[in-house]
Each structure stands twice: as structure tokens, then as C-alpha cells.
Amino acid sequence: MLRLVFLGTSGAMPTAARNLSGLSVRHGREHYLVDCGEGTQRQLIRYGAGFDVTAICFTHLHADHYVGAIGFVRTLSMLGRERPLDVYAPVPSLEFLERLLKGGTDPLSFEIRVREVEPGERVRRDGATLVPWATRHRIAPVGWVLAEDPRPGRFHPERAREAGVPEGELWGELQRGRPVTLGDGRVVVPEGIVDPPRRGRLLAVSGDTRPCPATVEAVRGVDLLVHEATFGDAEEARAVETTHSTAREAGRVAREAGVRRLVLTHLSSRYDTDAATLREQAAGEFPGEVVVAHDGMVVELGYPE
Ligand SMILES: [Zn+2]
Ligand SMILES: [Zn+2]
């Protein structure tokens, strides 16, 4: 399963319809939160995304992206959480997050493990690697790529039978890419019986950023790109001034990077009820599927084939 629930899709200020930034990404045994703006814990409840978060990945430490984490960890503690919580954020953030999340009141019921990350670093998780890349914003920001581990190639039972491999445990070994030894001492290799491994799914989340070549490079060919689109064409100058992107610019990044699908988020309050305009402007650049996220939107990411 690779399932996204958009918990907050507003930029800088919340509106009646849109909460501040927060994205739930559920993948196998992992449940990531990408950013955790104010009110995120209530959004997790509201949309049934669950409190079993295994890691929070911050894109940067602007208040609209982190304030919600303070209350969320307190709630988890009140619920008696025991499992450690991993927190990743771009350098420099260690001291700040340590104080923010652990400081002050009663001790927490669980451990918070804060780790600063540098662009290009690889964070190993269960079934995937998280890779932050350097984006362009007012304070040290990163985007996050979730690269799922490759999947074993397709298994051809008829070829296994032809090669004289009896059904059972040995089939599993071949599927895992290992040679097997038969009863008569013959060794059968997986090549020809099992197709080469298939790449896993790729998801990228930009966080707040100007459009930049590093993003195009980092998100090349991903299955789904979640890119900020704070403004529309009319506010292009404002996008430059505040180091955000327009929907059209997000569309351009998606096209240049050859991504499969694009989701726009982090909308300025003036587009709160006019998502269609942003969609059209992005679609003017990007020929693939474009969607403007709304709070509670669920996206299931299937396998590429
Ligand atoms: Zn923001
Ligand atoms: Zn920001």
C-alpha cells in the first residue's frame, strides 16, 4: 500500500476549508507525516489517517509546517505511546526541534529521535529509502523523495517446472533471486525463470520552494509529484518575492522532470475556492494528470505497470 491523505493544503494561513500543511503517507508498515502544521492531529482524526505515525519528515521549519508537532507528540504521550518516533529535518534543526518537542512540561512516554539531514543523504526505512533534496526557499528547505525498494521480477511457474524445480520452497528461493540446488545436484539459476527486479514506486513532495533545477533532477520520472503552487499567474511577482511557486511553474517542473502525475498543494487563501484556475494554469504546461489537492483528499499510488 502507498496511500496519501492530504491533511492540510493551505499555504501560510488556514482557511475554513483548508488546514495548514500536513500530508500522511502510509507505506507498508510505515506511516510518515510530511510536515505537521497547526491542527494536523485533528485532521488525522477527521480523515481517519491514524495516529500510528512512525516518522515525521519536515521540509523546513516555517511555523505553518511544524507547529502542529508540539501538540501531536503530547497527545501521543497521553495515549501512552511507547514506540520511538523518528523526526527528520534539514540542517540546522536539531537543537530547535529537541527543545520544541521535548522541552518544557512533563516527560514524554516515548522517545523522539531527531535527525538532521543533508540533501542527498539516504534515510533507510522499512521497504523504502527517503532521500531529501535541496529546494529553494527562505530558510534551509528540502523536498523528500520516497523510493520504494525494488520488487522481485515476475515468476514463471511453467519455466520452473520445465527446469525440473519442484513446486514449494525452492520456488520461493528462485523468486528471491537465489540459485537453488536440486536433489540430483543440479544448480538452477533464477535467470530465465524469474524476470529482472522491477523498480518500486517513487513519490516526491517538494515542500515550499521556487521552481528549481535541483527539483527537476531529484524528481525525474517519479510516479507522483506533490508540488507547492501557492499562487497563480497573476501573482507571479509575489511568488518570486516570497520564494514560492506558481501553479504554472509547478507544471513546468513536472513536465521537465517527466513525472507521471502532479498534485498541487499549499494554496494561498485567495485560491481557496478557485482551485480550477490553478489546475488550468499547471495543465497548460504539464500534459499529464494534474489535480489540486483538497483537505481529506486520498491518493492511492499503484505500481507503474
Ligand atoms: Zn508554507
Ligand atoms: Zn515556508
Side-chain angles (χ1 to χ4, degrees):
M1 172 208 272
L2 183 46
R3 184 172 189 261
L4 286 66
V5 183
F6 288 82
L7 303 168
T9 57
S10 185
M13 279 186 287
T15 68
R18 295 178 186 273
N19 200 66
L20 294 171
S21 288
L23 174 64
S24 151
V25 178
R26 197 175 275 283
H27 177 235
R29 285 192 288 266
E30 299 276 15
H31 182 190
Y32 308 104
L33 267 190
V34 183
D35 288 332
C36 189
E38 183 185 342
T40 294
Q41 57 173 330
R42 191 152 174 275
Q43 299 293 83
L44 284 167
I45 299 167
R46 192 169 175 195
Y47 300 120
F51 273 4
D52 56 343
V53 173
T54 52
I56 302 178
C57 304
F58 287 109
T59 60
H60 65 302
L61 295 176
H62 271 153
D64 59 319
H65 294 255
Y66 74 75
V67 168
I70 306 168
F72 181 47
V73 298
R74 291 288 146 195
T75 300
L76 293 179
S77 187
M78 277 186 269
L79 293 172
R81 177 178 173 122
E82 288 175 5
R83 182 179 179 172
L85 175 70
D86 290 310
V87 174
Y88 306 114
V91 178
S93 54
L94 185 66
E95 223 177 292
F96 178 72
L97 285 175
E98 289 272 344
R99 198 153 20 99
L100 190 79
L101 301 176
K102 302 180 192 174
T105 54
D106 309 327
L108 296 166
S109 66
F110 61 100
E111 186 193 354
I112 296 182
R113 303 184 292 214
V114 181
R115 172 168 157 191
E116 283 180 336
V117 294
E118 300 270 8
E121 215 174 305
R122 300 175 73 78
V123 178
R124 267 310 295 168
R125 300 291 309 185
D126 190 55
T129 302
L130 305 177
V131 188
W133 84 89
T135 50
R136 198 181 291 167
H137 196 47
R138 293 194 296 289
I139 51 167
V142 292
W144 287 94
V145 169
L146 181 148
E148 185 180 44
D149 293 347
R151 290 175 299 143
R154 193 162 288 117
F155 181 74
H156 299 277
E158 71 289 353
R159 296 188 204 163
R161 277 192 202 100
E162 269 166 44
V165 185
E167 189 171 346
E169 217 173 285
L170 294 181
W171 282 24
E173 283 295 293
L174 287 171
Q175 259 168 320
R176 283 185 283 274
R178 297 187 201 120
V180 296
T181 308
L182 304 183
D184 60 8
R186 251 185 333 121
V187 174
V188 176
V189 294
E191 285 77 20
I193 296 171
V194 184
D195 292 341
R198 296 166 279 187
R199 78 158 173 89
R201 291 165 290 189
L202 295 166
L203 163 71
V205 184
S206 77
D208 293 9
T209 183
R210 285 291 299 145
C212 60
T215 297
V216 174
E217 209 42 59
V219 310
R220 199 171 291 287
V222 299
D223 299 297
L224 177 67
L225 169 64
V226 179
H227 199 288
E228 75 124 290
T230 311
F231 298 108
D233 286 348
E235 274 82 32
E236 205 183 325
R238 184 122 181 79
V240 174
E241 188 188 319
T242 58
T243 62
H244 285 292
S245 301
T246 65
R248 186 175 298 280
E249 288 170 328
R252 212 170 286 151
V253 167
R255 187 191 67 224
E256 286 170 10
V259 310
R260 287 179 59 228
R261 289 161 81 185
L262 172 65
V263 176
L264 304 175
T265 188
H266 199 271
L267 274 58
S268 158
S269 55
R270 74 198 75 183
Y271 296 97
D272 191 21
T273 53
D274 189 19
T277 300
L278 296 184
R279 207 206 78 82
E280 270 165 40
Q281 292 173 357
E285 296 286 336
F286 178 61
E289 183 194 329
V290 191
V291 176
V292 178
H294 57 82
D295 287 19
M297 185 174 91
V298 176
V299 176
E300 301 262 4
L301 200 51
Y303 288 107
E305 308 87 23

